[in-house]
Amino acid sequence: MPFVRKEGRLALQQAGQDIDILTLAQSESHPCYIYDGDDVLNRLKALKSSFDRPVSIHYAMKANHHPEILRRIAAAGYGVDTVSMGEVKKAMKCGFSADQVVLSGVGKTVAEIDFAIENQIKQINVESVPELQRIIHRSQALGKVASVAFRMNPDVDPKTHPYTSTGFRDNKFGMDQSFLPQLIRLVQDSQGAVRFMGLTNHIGSQIRYTDAFEEATEKTRRMLDHVLESGIPLSTFDIGGGLGIDYDQYDPNKDLAEIGDYGLKMSQALKGVDLEIMTEPGRVIVGRCGILVTEVQYVKETPYKNFLICDSGMHDLIRPALYRAHHRVEPLQLKSGETKIYDVVGPICESADVLGYDRRFEGVEQGDWLAVFDAGAYGAVMASSYNLHEPAKEIVFFDGKAY
Ligand SMILES: Cc1ncc(COP(=O)(O)O)c(C=O)c1O
């Protein structure tokens, strides 16, 4: 269990000891991301065992690419999902072998495709006809075979934020099934330049409505059956990532039940599919495992609104500003005193620079430290240099030791 209260103070419990977060934050005296690495590995295990069949997990490193987290995930034998040459290079530097790397993304450049082909990565997930043409052309030029899967767009409503929906027919991601004959013809005419591995989909992120995964899997599976019936052998079916977490509250048992339910539903939807099943989870693995800690610089009370002005904000964690995403915000040390409602804001010159709207705090004062919860996914990786504040440091704990 990542972060717990011990006599009113937030602590990380690892290796039989309590790591006091306030002590750690005060010693750093700067905003920090603090990650529970052990929980990352526990959640990967939980996801793997939630399926009733073998499944190849390719962790979506875009969610959090702290090098020690990547090293541990690689050492535990999982694969990785990447979306740029930068991510492929970092993954391989951190111990993933090329045959554990999947490359997704709509805008792959020639340099990225060349790098993937030269290194013979496991699979390139193709997002358009011109991309497949480019891959074939580059494979022929390099004299090496590229392994490709087609990312299909199943036209499913994942009922998540529109900015994180990727499986609607009017999204830029994936391909409509009507392109399949053309794609297959290109493979067949490529004279062995590409190896057709299978189909994939990824319908979005922070998906809480899990029926959407079933619908997407069923629709993509029908496309897959169609390809197999035409006598083309395939080896993989990649069901993407996207499983969300409940940002409003945290109950570890409920989390595990939700992961279990997802695995069960997907296992049922995949019954009879005799291929390697791949997944690309990010948020559900690392989201819970991180907090962002920040110090209250000023308690600013006005006749209209009260603010806790902190030294961290949208430059470290953009999710609230970008999606109006909700993160629980609590003091590192609980206090008693007058209770008031505040907006928790940062130092950035934008009114969107908010970490939490209308939050209730008791006895809060200048110099107090706050934790922004569930900041392990799409936090530090989406940080910006806007206003040139020093970025939040990232500290990960494994087995009670900081990295
Ligand atoms: C292709 C692909 N796979 C996997 C993921 C991981 O999604 P999530 O972190 O929601 O599991 C993403 C992110 O949106 C993605 O674009």
Side-chain angles (χ1 to χ4, degrees), residues 33-299:
Y33 278 99
I34 300 166
Y35 305 127
D36 178 356
D38 291 356
D39 207 47
V40 171
L41 298 178
N42 288 339
R43 292 175 76 93
L44 277 165
K45 256 192 230 153
L47 181 65
K48 197 166 174 70
S49 60
S50 72
F51 283 76
D52 69 359
R53 57 181 294 164
V55 58
S56 306
I57 296 181
H58 292 78
Y59 165 63
M61 65 179 282
K62 66 171 75 64
N64 184 320
H65 44 64
H66 188 289
E68 190 59 27
I69 292 180
L70 293 183
R71 275 193 281 274
R72 300 291 181 127
I73 293 177
Y78 298 99
V80 66
D81 174 64
T82 64
V83 284
S84 70
M85 183 156 60
E87 285 196 352
V88 178
K89 282 183 176 171
K90 184 164 182 178
M92 289 173 66
K93 201 170 160 208
C94 290
F96 290 97
S97 59
D99 63 3
Q100 290 171 309
V101 178
V102 175
L103 177 62
S104 307
V106 288
K108 300 178 196 79
T109 63
V110 169
E112 286 174 322
I113 288 169
D114 281 4
F115 190 80
I117 298 172
E118 291 281 19
N119 284 282
Q120 293 285 284
I121 68 162
K122 177 172 180 171
Q123 183 170 297
I124 304 176
N125 288 347
V126 178
E127 304 243 11
S128 65
V129 169
E131 183 191 327
L132 179 59
Q133 287 167 326
R134 181 177 267 184
I135 293 171
I136 290 171
H137 180 242
R138 293 312 305 159
S139 292
Q140 287 166 340
L142 296 166
K144 285 192 169 160
V145 179
S147 299
V148 297
F150 301 151
R151 177 170 174 181
M152 307 313 295
N153 183 320
D155 189 21
V156 166
D157 179 1
K159 301 194 193 318
T160 182
H161 192 284
Y163 293 177
T164 59
S165 294
T166 60
F168 262 147
R169 62 184 168 194
D170 53 359
N171 291 141
K172 67 179 174 180
F173 302 95
M175 295 175 281
D176 184 77
Q177 61 175 331
S178 58
F179 286 102
L180 264 178
Q182 192 184 355
L183 292 161
I184 291 169
R185 239 187 344 268
L186 280 167
V187 172
Q188 286 169 337
D189 293 347
S190 77
Q191 293 157 333
V194 288
R195 189 181 299 117
F196 181 17
M197 302 289 286
L199 300 185
T200 167
N201 74 54
H202 171 74
I203 58 171
S205 195
Q206 182 48 15
I207 297 169
R208 304 277 299 146
Y209 167 66
T210 48
D211 288 2
F213 292 118
E214 285 178 297
E215 192 186 335
T217 305
E218 273 158 26
K219 282 185 161 179
T220 315
R221 184 186 170 162
R222 260 179 262 139
M223 300 178 207
L224 192 84
D225 288 343
H226 195 68
V227 176
L228 290 168
E229 275 159 23
S230 66
I232 298 167
L234 297 178
S235 25
T236 62
F237 184 14
D238 178 348
I239 58 172
L243 183 60
I245 56 173
D246 183 352
Y247 281 94
D248 292 336
Q249 56 191 315
Y250 175 53
D251 171 348
N253 294 326
K254 198 162 160 253
D255 265 33
L256 288 181
E258 286 180 2
I259 292 172
D261 178 60
Y262 168 80
L264 197 69
K265 276 190 168 154
M266 298 316 289
S267 301
Q268 270 157 9
L270 291 161
K271 277 258 166 330
V273 177
D274 191 16
L275 301 175
E276 177 188 348
I277 301 301
M278 298 164 59
T279 67
E280 305 166 356
R283 186 189 310 271
V284 73
I285 302 303
V286 289
R288 289 291 196 208
C289 306
I291 54 170
L292 172 64
V293 297
T294 177
E295 186 182 5
V296 177
Q297 302 298 311
Y298 301 100
V299 178

Side-chain angles (χ1 to χ4, degrees), residues 302-339:
T302 82
Y304 311 104
K305 195 131 192 107
N306 299 329
F307 301 94
L308 299 183
I309 301 182
C310 301
D311 54 358
S312 184
M314 67 186 292
H315 56 303
D316 289 322
L317 181 67
I318 201 172
R319 297 191 68 259
L322 188 59
Y323 314 121
R324 275 251 175 182
H326 180 271
H327 285 261
R328 291 172 294 127
V329 185
E330 292 176 13
L332 289 188
Q333 175 159 34
L334 296 179
K335 286 178 155 183
S336 50
E338 200 180 348
T339 299

